[in-house]
Amino acid sequence: MKEPVNIKGTKSGIILVLDPDMPLEDLKEAVKQKFTSARKFFGNALVALTFEGRKLTDDEKFSLAGVVSDNSDLNVVCITEENAEKEKFLEKALNDKLADLSSNTGKFYKGTLRNGQVVDFETSIIILGDVNAGAQVVSKGSIIVLGALYGNAFAGAGGSKHVFVAALNMNPTQIRIGDSIARASDSDAKSQKDTGPMIAFFENGNIYVEPINREALNDIHLD
């Protein structure tokens, strides 16, 4: 019986060969099972992803890419189109995207940081996960947490104060920007309430924490 999903690995990315007739929800389940069972085999890598075998809308491509990311340790950095010279195309797309991620916009870290973990970055960092109480993120640039920040965040570790800390849920134990420190009160430190997206930045000798909106972003001054 023909497999509904086949995976072709290349040095630059992954090609998913999909059944042309299977309903999308069934196909997503097949992709989930395929990558769950092969999680250790693929490991943690940055990959370009392309599809063969059926026509997909952009939304369907993004949905399937999300299934791959959620059920593996792979980071899908871009989705490419079918191309006659697919391997060269995948390699160029991946290299271009990695160059973007390594630029001044910073780098990505995927995973939740747990109590006792400390990560240190030379560039700005985007955390795809939570930073739990007892964990610490240190960056010479800015720190963005696409999740909850309950632990410590130290931005501007090289001395810059023109950086910021942002999180989708901001309940940190401590925020440090340059040599300035803001600590949560004991009651706030124990709270895990949903604050919504917040940003912390340094201005006029103080660290301010405000909801993320256009006005707050206009107050940010970067090097």
Side-chain angles (χ1 to χ4, degrees):
M1 184 168 132
K2 184 180 176 183
E3 290 279 339
V5 177
N6 284 294
I7 304 172
K8 296 180 182 179
T10 76
K11 67 179 182 180
S12 305
I14 287 176
I15 301 169
L16 283 188
V17 184
L18 307 174
D19 185 284
D21 303 313
M22 177 176 281
L24 182 64
E25 290 306 311
D26 293 341
L27 194 62
K28 288 165 68 174
E29 182 61 30
V31 171
K32 175 182 177 180
Q33 293 177 7
K34 201 81 169 179
F35 280 90
T36 298
S37 62
R39 191 174 202 127
K40 290 185 179 178
F41 174 78
F42 286 112
N44 188 345
L46 299 168
V47 297
L49 180 65
T50 193
F51 302 96
E52 286 184 355
R54 69 188 283 161
K55 277 300 236 185
L56 297 167
T57 66
D58 288 343
D59 286 345
E60 289 170 341
K61 290 176 184 177
F62 285 120
S63 180
L64 286 166
V67 173
V68 173
S69 295
D70 290 343
N71 295 281
S72 71
D73 296 316
L74 296 170
N75 289 311
V76 178
V77 297
C78 59
I79 300 171
T80 67
E81 301 295 331
E82 292 187 46
N83 189 283
E85 296 180 302
K86 190 177 273 89
E87 176 56 31
K88 290 182 180 179
F89 188 68
L90 277 172
E91 185 172 7
K92 182 180 185 304
L94 181 61
N95 288 339
D96 288 349
K97 192 65 177 180
L98 291 180
D100 287 343
L101 298 181
S102 303
S103 67
N104 293 333
T105 57
K107 296 184 178 180
F108 287 89
Y109 177 95
K110 182 181 179 183
T112 291
L113 298 179
R114 309 197 182 281
N115 184 14
Q117 283 186 274
V118 178
V119 290
D120 195 334
F121 300 94
E122 292 292 316
T123 65
S124 295
I125 181 66
I126 300 171
I127 305 287
L128 304 175
D130 295 338
V131 179
N132 287 345
Q136 179 170 272
V137 182
V138 181
S139 170
K140 288 186 177 179
S142 296
I143 298 170
I144 299 172
V145 181
L146 297 182
L149 173 58
Y150 299 126
N152 296 342
F154 180 8
S160 175
K161 292 184 177 178
H162 292 164
V163 294
F164 62 87
V165 177
L168 297 183
N169 186 15
M170 181 84 83
N171 280 291
T173 305
Q174 181 188 101
I175 288 178
R176 181 173 175 179
I177 296 179
D179 56 5
S180 297
I181 299 174
R183 293 185 177 88
S185 65
D186 289 340
S187 59
D188 287 341
K190 294 177 182 178
S191 170
Q192 292 193 352
K193 64 183 179 181
D194 185 1
T195 65
M198 306 282 284
I199 188 166
F201 57 94
F202 181 86
E203 185 176 312
N204 298 327
N206 295 300
I207 293 176
Y208 295 91
V209 181
E210 298 181 0
I212 293 178
N213 53 39
R214 186 179 298 276
E215 185 175 333
L217 294 177
N218 286 338
D219 289 336
I220 302 300
H221 301 288
L222 301 176
D223 287 329

